[in-house]
């Protein structure tokens, strides 16, 4: 199976600003190994270049980046090609770590869908700009996987129990929610987004924050739906165990709690257990430790029935009806 990133990532330097454009619109800019490697090579090459900023963007309005090309990872697993899967995750996580430590400010322009690996590209950088069309999520428990790309580091560091809620349910955040949680740092209207790179180039000595604030329209943060249920989120998802989270949601009995329960019931039981443990542990680990833990987990999780079935249901057959492996199923499969 080949993986060419030619034309899938467009890279240049314009007036002192490094520009990286994800250009795989038919795949919603989902990342392949070649794309990740091309971005990493560009960042390495620019480390000695006097840039005022590096800007990440998507080439079309539907998506900044829908995540990693997880459908291809499933194909690797079915073919028994563990090396190809290892290459993808190891390359991606190395890039996540590089972005987090990069000496030049990285500005991600999030317009449309930003999920999974898209958050890996953006959240570890200093500046995450969202438009009114931005949609952010970590939906991995719904495909039999777990929140990776350093999510076990950044989700537990969100306010209260928001990170646990997002990681377990895959809840989608709009621009207001993204700003409220801190996953986004700035708001710029979609029709002003193309001006960001030029504005940074026009005023290379100015703080990036000041340049972005000049471009901002009226921020939607006051309209955050997540802010309105924050007390319920913290109480329910701050519980020490999965079963207690579900008990508290039943006790609340609110529309938000019912929706959260529905999301948990639709997710892979295996993924919920892994995610809860991973995020609980990640609170006291460094980013590097979290990425190492996640890489070790990928080696086994991508071969499990839940992962193969979850990706099939969501991305291959698209019937949205995964048949998860339940604890009762495992018990019945054991010899008497």
């Amino acid at each position: 199976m080949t993986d060419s990133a030619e034309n899938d990532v467009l890279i240049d330097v314009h007036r002192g600003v490094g520009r990286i454009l994800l250009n795989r619109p038919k795949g919603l800019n989902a990342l392949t190994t070649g794309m990740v490697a091309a971005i990493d090579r560009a960042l390495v090459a620019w480390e000695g270049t006097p840039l005022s900023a590096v800007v990440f963007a998507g080439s079309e309005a539907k998506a900044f980046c829908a995540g990693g090309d997880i459908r291809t990872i499933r194909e690797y697993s079915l073919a028994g090609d563990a090396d190809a899967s290892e290459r993808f995750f190891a390359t991606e996580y190395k890039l996540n770590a590089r972005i987090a430590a990069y000496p030049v400010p990285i500005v991600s322009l999030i317009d449309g869908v930003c999920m999974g690996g898209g958050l890996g590209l953006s959240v570890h950088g200093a500046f995450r700009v969202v438009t009114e069309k931005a949609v952010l999520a970590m939906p991995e428990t719904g495909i039999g996987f777990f929140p990776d790309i350093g999510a076990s580091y950044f989700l537990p560091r969100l306010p209260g129990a928001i990170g646990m809620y997002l990681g377990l349910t895959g809840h989608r955040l709009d621009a207001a929610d993204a700003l409220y949680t801190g996953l986004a740092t700035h708001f710029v209207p979609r029709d002003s987004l193309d001006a960001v790179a030029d504005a940074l180039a026009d005023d290379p000595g100015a703080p990036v924050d000041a340049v972005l604030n000049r471009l901002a329209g009226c921020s939607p943060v006051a309209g955050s739906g997540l802010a309105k249920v924050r007390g319920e989120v913290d109480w329910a998802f701050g519980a020490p165990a999965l079963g207690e989270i579900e008990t508290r949601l039943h006790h609340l009995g609110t529309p938000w709690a019912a929706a959260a329960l529905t999301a948990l019931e639709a997710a892979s039981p295996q993924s919920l257990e892994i995610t809860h443990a991973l995020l609980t542990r990640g609170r006291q680990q460094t980013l590097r430790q979290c990425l190492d833990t996640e890489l070790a987990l990928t080696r086994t999780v991508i071969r499990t029935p839940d992962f193969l079935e979850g990706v099939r249901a969501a991305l291959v057959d698209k019937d949205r009806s995964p048949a998860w492996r339940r604890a009762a199923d495992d018990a019945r499969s054991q010899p008497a």
Side-chain angles (χ1 to χ4, degrees), residues 27 56 112 134 167 269 272:
F56 290 169
L272 293 176

Side-chain angles (χ1 to χ4, degrees), residues 55 106-109 126-129 185-189 193 196-197 199-200 207-217:
V55 174
I106 293 179
V107 182
S108 293
L109 306 181
F127 301 98
R128 289 90 63 186
V129 177
T185 60
H186 294 77
F187 174 79
V188 171
L193 207 60
V196 171
L200 291 167
V208 172
D209 179 70
V211 175
L212 294 175
N213 283 334
R214 286 201 298 265
L215 292 169

